[in-house]
C-alpha cells in the first residue's frame, strides 16, 4: 500500500486525501490550521509523525507558504520519499524549491494541477517534471490519477500550466468583457448565448463556469495570472491579452475586499 502524506487540508488537499484513500492509498494528513478528522481523514498533530514512512509527500499549502513549509518538511523526510509540490507558482519558484530539496537529499517534483480539483478530485489531470517524475507517476497512476510527465527540471510543468492559464483565464476575461458590454447594450444574454454556441455542446456550462469561477476565485486567479504574465515577460513574448485579463480579475478581487 502506497503511503501518502498530504500537507494542507483545504479544499484541494481534502479532496486529494479522500480520493486517494478511497483508491487504496494509506493517507496521512497534516494541517495545523484545519481539522478534517470528521471527514474520515487520518490527521496528525505532529509533522514528524505524519511524514514517517511516507512514499510520497504532497504539498498543497498555497504558493505563499510553499517554501516555508518545504523548509520545515524536507529535513524530516526519508531520502526514499518523493516530495511533490502541487502549489501553483512560476518556474523560478519551483526551481528554487528543487534546489532546497537537493540540499536535503530529497527528490522533488514540480506538479501542475491542470484543471479545477473540485470537478474531478484526485482524478484531475496532472503534469509533472523533475528527475523523479516517472517515480511520481508510478505511485499515483495506479490510484487513478492521470499523470503526464513533462521533460525537464522542476519548473517545466509549472510553465505548461501558466501557458494554459494564458488561454483559459484570458477566455474568462473575454467573456467578462462581453458580458459587461452586452448588458450595457441591453443584449447581455443574447451575447452570452452567441458565445456559448460557438464553444460547442458544452458551451453554456463553460460560459457559466468561467463567469462564476472568476467571481468566486478572483483573488487566487489574480495571483495565477500575475505568474503567467511574469512567465510571458521572461519568454520575451507579447502579453497584451494577459495584461487585460489581470485587470479584469484584479477588479473582481477588489470588489470581494
Amino acid at each position: 500500500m502506497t503511503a501518502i502524506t498530504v500537507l494542507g487540508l483545504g479544499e484541494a488537499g481534502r479532496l486529494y486525501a479522500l480520493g486517494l484513500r478511497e483508491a487504496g492509498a494509506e493517507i496521512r494528513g497534516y494541517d495545523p490550521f484545519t481539522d478534517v478528522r470528521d471527514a474520515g481523514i487520518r490527521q496528525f498533530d505532529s509533522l514528524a509523525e505524519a511524514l514517517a514512512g511516507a512514499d510520497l509527500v504532497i504539498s498543497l499549502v498555497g504558493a505563499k507558504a510553499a517554501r516555508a513549509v518545504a523548509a520545515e518538511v524536507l529535513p524530516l523526510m526519508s531520502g526514499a520519499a518523493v516530495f511533490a509540490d502541487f502549489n501553483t507558482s512560476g518556474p523560478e519558484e519551483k526551481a528554487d524549491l528543487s534546489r532546497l530539496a537537493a540540499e536535503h537529499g530529497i527528490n522533488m517534483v514540480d506538479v501542475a494541477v491542470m484543471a479545477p480539483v473540485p470537478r474531478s478530485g484526485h482524478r484531475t489531470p496532472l503534469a509533472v517534471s523533475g528527475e523523479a517524475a516517472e517515480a511520481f507517476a508510478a505511485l499515483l497512476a495506479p490510484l487513478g490519477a492521470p499523470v503526464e510527465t513533462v521533460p525537464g527540471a522542476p519548473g517545466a510543468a509549472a510553465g505548461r500550466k501558466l501557458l494554459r492559464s494564458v488561454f483559459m483565464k484570458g477566455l474568462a476575461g473575454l467573456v467578462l468583457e462581453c458580458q459587461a458590454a452586452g448588458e450595457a447594450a441591453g443584449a447581455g444574454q443574447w451575447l452570452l448565448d452567441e458565445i456559448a454556441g460557438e464553444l460547442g455542446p458544452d458551451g453554456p456550462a463553460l460560459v457559466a463556469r468561467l463567469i462564476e469561477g472568476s467571481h468566486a476565485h478572483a483573488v487566487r486567479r489574480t495571483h495565477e495570472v500575475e505568474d503567467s504574465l511574469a512567465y510571458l515577460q521572461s519568454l520575451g513574448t507579447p502579453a497584451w491579452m494577459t495584461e487585460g485579463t489581470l485587470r479584469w480579475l484584479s477588479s473582481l478581487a477588489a470588489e470581494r475586499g
Side-chain angles (χ1 to χ4, degrees):
M1 183 180 290
T2 302
I4 302 175
T5 299
V6 179
L7 306 173
L9 296 170
E11 182 181 41
R14 178 175 53 82
L15 289 171
Y16 266 103
L18 290 171
L20 292 171
R21 185 199 64 186
E22 291 171 4
E26 177 192 343
I27 298 297
R28 299 95 175 271
Y30 179 80
D31 189 326
F33 306 106
T34 304
D35 192 321
V36 294
R37 290 177 177 88
D38 59 353
I41 296 172
R42 187 183 178 200
Q43 184 171 347
F44 291 81
D45 294 322
S46 163
L47 181 57
E49 289 179 5
L51 295 169
D55 300 304
L56 174 66
V57 177
I58 293 175
S59 175
L60 272 162
V61 299
K64 288 186 177 180
R67 197 185 195 286
V69 171
E72 186 177 359
V73 168
L74 292 167
L76 301 176
M77 285 179 58
S78 160
V82 175
F83 180 77
D85 183 72
F86 275 54
N87 302 296
T88 298
S89 60
E92 290 185 5
E93 289 79 9
K94 296 282 188 170
D96 179 58
L97 281 182
S98 178
R99 289 188 290 269
L100 180 63
E103 291 174 4
H104 295 281
I106 301 296
N107 280 319
M108 176 262 185
V109 289
D110 159 25
V111 182
V113 183
M114 303 300 284
V117 176
R119 201 184 308 165
S120 302
H122 82 287
R123 298 184 185 278
T124 303
L126 303 173
V128 57
S129 63
E131 290 185 6
E134 294 292 346
F136 172 86
L139 289 169
L140 277 199
L143 299 172
V147 181
E148 176 191 3
T149 57
V150 177
R160 293 282 181 95
K161 175 165 185 173
L162 294 180
L163 289 174
R164 185 178 184 277
S165 291
V166 169
F167 171 73
M168 289 304 300
K169 303 306 183 292
L171 181 58
L174 179 59
V175 169
L176 291 168
E177 191 156 316
C178 288
Q179 181 187 38
E183 289 177 353
Q189 192 57 53
W190 171 83
L191 185 52
L192 292 181
D193 290 343
E194 287 288 303
I195 295 169
E198 293 293 334
L199 294 174
D202 296 327
L206 176 57
V207 168
R209 193 163 65 242
L210 291 171
I211 293 173
E212 293 166 8
S214 295
H215 283 272
H217 306 292
V219 175
R220 176 172 59 78
R221 292 184 181 182
T222 294
H223 295 311
E224 185 174 331
V225 173
E226 287 173 341
D227 287 336
S228 296
L229 180 58
Y231 186 46
L232 293 182
Q233 290 170 340
S234 75
L235 295 173
T237 59
W240 305 313
M241 292 291 294
T242 304
E243 289 169 352
T245 301
L246 180 57
R247 291 186 67 179
W248 267 107
L249 288 170
S250 297
S251 70
L252 295 182
E255 289 176 6
R256 296 184 67 84

